[in-house]
């Protein structure tokens, strides 16, 4: 559906040439919800804008539906952009227009009749759950409602691709979940391809099937979301995930623990293995559970458990070897002499 081939984007700043995107290549499948993650300045927004040619490339090619688009101009460019909707962090609605007028503007510029415009706007307002807000001005809407209007406006012209530039950064947690759920349902219902850029990996984890990670303009990793979170290959990706999870033992708890602390990570195909009870039975080692959590990513479990083993030192060492063999990911995060 969308393919980047050796895409580079450079900007001239005074006497210097700045590289915003450097030799990036990957593809996005038709109908998928794809995430591009990275911190500020990673180049993700710049890359996203090449899809609708709001940002020209310095070198390389961008393909949409098998067509090379980087040379499009005039009528060809206008036709291409009608197939692509875009939503932003701060909604970009016209405050002097009602909800109806904000959405209808897209259809009027496309030459649609008054009757068709009226019918289509009402249809899309129903899709985003805002039929009762048709004559309301944006100033009287909540942030989540504004984003729903923006989504309707982006898709009302029959767009087959929805580009989302930090779409939930201005929203609270509850509203974020609601908006992501709406995007996901519309993707399925309308058969659209969604590309989301964000620095919030919780967004990627919630809605995306695959993810690309960018750092300083370069693509550093791309994989399915579950693999990204359970087995990241790149150090920068590991750092991003560490900031997102925020799941560490408090320092004062660690300092008061005698002996070792193991951090066990459970993921498929061993997420449901009763490794703790097995080790207790095999080696006679008991465990104080200090902290634990399980979540589901792409409907697959990911669990983290901090435990303090007690018992014979040799048996504890044997239990560590056994758990490493089963779980693949066991860390000794603390080791104080008893």
């Amino acid at each position: 559906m969308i393919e980047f081939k050796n895409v580079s984007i450079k900007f001239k700043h005074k006497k210097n040439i700045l590289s915003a995107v450097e030799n990036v290549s990957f593809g996005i499948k038709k109908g998928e919800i794809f995430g591009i993650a990275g911190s500020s300045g990673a180049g993700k927004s710049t890359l996203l804008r090449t899809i609708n040619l709001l940002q020209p490339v310095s070198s390389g090619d961008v393909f949409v539906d098998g067509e090379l688009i980087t040379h499009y101009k005039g009528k060809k460019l206008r036709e291409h952009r009608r197939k692509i909707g875009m939503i932003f962090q701060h909604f970009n609605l016209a405050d002097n227009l009602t909800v109806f007028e904000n959405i209808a503007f897209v259809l009027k510029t496309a030459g649609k009749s008054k009757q068709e415009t009226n019918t289509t706007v009402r249809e899309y307002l129903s899709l985003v759950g805002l039929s009762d807000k048709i004559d309301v001005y944006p100033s009287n809407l909540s942030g989540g409602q504004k984003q729903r209007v923006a989504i309707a406006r982006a898709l009302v012209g029959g767009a087959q691709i929805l580009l989302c530039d930090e779409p939930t950064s201005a929203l609270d947690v509850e509203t974020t979940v609601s908006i992501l759920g709406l995007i996901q349902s519309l993707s399925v219902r309308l058969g659209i391809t969604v590309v989301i850029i964000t620095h919030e990996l919780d967004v990627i984890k919630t809605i995306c099937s695959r993810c690309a990670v960018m750092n300083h303009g370069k693509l550093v990793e791309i994989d399915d979301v579950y693999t990204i979170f359970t087995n990241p290959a790149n150090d920068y990706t590991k750092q991003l995930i560490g900031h997102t999870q925020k799941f560490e033992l408090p320092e004062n708890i660690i300092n008061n623990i005698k002996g070792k602390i193991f951090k066990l990570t459970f993921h498929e195909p061993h997420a449901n293995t009763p490794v703790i009870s097995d080790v207790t039975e095999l080696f006679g080692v008991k465990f104080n559970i200090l902290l634990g959590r399980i979540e589901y990513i792409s409907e697959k479990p990911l669990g983290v458990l901090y435990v303090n083993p007690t018992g014979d030192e040799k048996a504890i060492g044997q239990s560590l070897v056994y758990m490493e063999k089963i779980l693949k990911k066991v860390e000794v995060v603390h080791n104080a002499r008893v």
Side-chain angles (χ1 to χ4, degrees):
M1 179 65 171
I2 302 167
E3 186 175 6
F4 303 100
K5 283 191 175 181
N6 306 116
V7 171
S8 293
I9 300 168
K10 300 182 186 300
F11 297 109
K12 189 173 183 179
H13 179 68
K14 298 181 180 178
K15 294 182 179 181
N16 299 318
I17 301 296
L18 304 179
S19 182
V21 175
E22 190 172 335
N23 198 33
V24 167
S25 298
F26 65 89
I28 299 170
K29 302 171 186 175
K30 183 176 178 64
E32 80 172 324
I33 303 179
F34 188 93
I36 304 176
S39 55
S40 179
K44 53 192 188 297
S45 292
T46 303
L47 184 67
L48 185 81
R49 283 160 160 62
T50 66
I51 299 172
N52 56 6
L53 291 176
L54 290 178
Q55 173 61 56
V57 303
S58 302
S59 62
D61 298 311
V62 181
F63 295 85
V64 176
D65 276 340
E67 296 286 331
L68 179 62
I69 66 165
T70 44
H71 64 281
Y72 280 2
K73 293 180 181 179
K75 182 181 178 182
K76 194 79 171 175
L77 177 57
R78 290 192 296 272
E79 289 174 349
H80 171 69
R81 284 178 174 165
R82 287 194 189 107
K83 300 175 185 176
I84 301 173
M86 192 167 187
I87 60 173
F88 305 87
Q89 177 180 356
H90 296 296
F91 324 121
N92 286 18
L93 301 178
D95 290 333
N96 62 328
L97 301 179
T98 64
V99 165
F100 176 89
E101 292 166 338
N102 264 282
I103 301 170
F105 178 79
V106 176
L107 297 172
K108 289 177 180 178
T109 56
K112 304 297 181 182
S113 68
K114 186 175 181 179
Q115 181 178 352
E116 184 178 358
T117 296
N118 184 61
T119 300
T120 306
V121 170
R122 291 177 184 277
E123 175 189 345
Y124 276 80
L125 276 176
S126 177
L127 282 176
V128 300
L130 287 181
S131 296
D132 60 332
K133 303 295 183 182
I134 190 167
D135 295 319
V136 175
Y137 286 91
S139 59
N140 295 316
L141 298 176
S142 67
Q145 289 170 336
K146 289 177 183 178
Q147 195 61 287
R148 286 173 181 266
V149 175
I151 291 169
R153 182 184 60 184
L155 298 177
V156 73
Q160 290 302 298
I161 298 173
L162 178 63
L163 307 181
C164 307
D165 190 347
E166 300 279 5
T168 59
S169 292
L171 305 176
D172 60 41
V173 174
E174 185 177 351
T175 306
T176 291
V177 172
S178 174
I179 291 299
L180 293 178
L182 174 63
I183 292 172
Q184 195 166 35
S185 66
L186 289 175
S187 174
V188 174
R189 183 167 182 171
L190 302 177
I192 59 175
T193 302
V194 180
V195 186
I196 295 181
I197 63 165
T198 182
H199 65 277
E200 300 172 309
L201 286 191
D202 280 338
V203 171
I204 300 289
K205 186 165 51 178
T206 300
I207 194 175
C208 299
S209 57
R210 290 194 304 139
C211 173
V213 181
M214 293 185 66
N215 186 29
H216 297 305
K218 296 180 180 179
L219 176 68
V220 297
E221 188 161 358
I222 181 169
D223 216 320
D224 67 86
V225 170
Y226 190 74
T227 300
I228 288 283
F229 276 86
T230 58
N231 192 28
N234 181 269
D235 287 341
Y236 175 72
T237 308
K238 292 175 184 177
Q239 179 184 324
L240 277 182
I241 292 171
H243 291 329
T244 299
Q245 288 179 330
K246 297 177 181 176
F247 189 64
E248 301 294 336
L249 280 173
E251 194 68 31
N252 65 313
I253 298 295
I254 293 175
N255 292 336
N256 289 323
I257 294 293
K258 299 299 183 183
K260 295 179 172 64
I261 297 176
F262 295 163
K263 178 184 178 183
L264 315 179
T265 301
F266 298 78
H267 55 78
E268 290 201 336
H270 305 292
N272 297 314
T273 302
V275 67
I276 294 293
S277 58
D278 287 350
V279 165
T280 298
E281 184 176 341
L282 289 169
F283 305 105
V285 176
K286 295 182 180 181
F287 294 91
N288 298 318
I289 296 176
L290 305 175
L291 188 65
R293 184 179 73 176
I294 187 167
E295 60 182 329
Y296 286 82
I297 302 171
S298 302
E299 300 182 348
K300 298 176 184 178
L302 170 62
V304 177
L305 190 65
Y306 287 90
V307 295
N308 169 222
T310 61
D312 179 76
E313 276 298 314
K314 182 178 179 181
I316 290 174
Q318 291 172 328
S319 72
L320 177 61
V321 172
Y322 177 85
M323 289 189 293
E324 286 175 336
K325 185 181 297 184
I326 299 297
L327 298 179
K328 309 300 182 189
K329 195 168 183 180
V330 180
E331 302 170 65
V332 180
V333 298
H334 178 71
N335 186 8
R337 290 184 178 181
V338 178

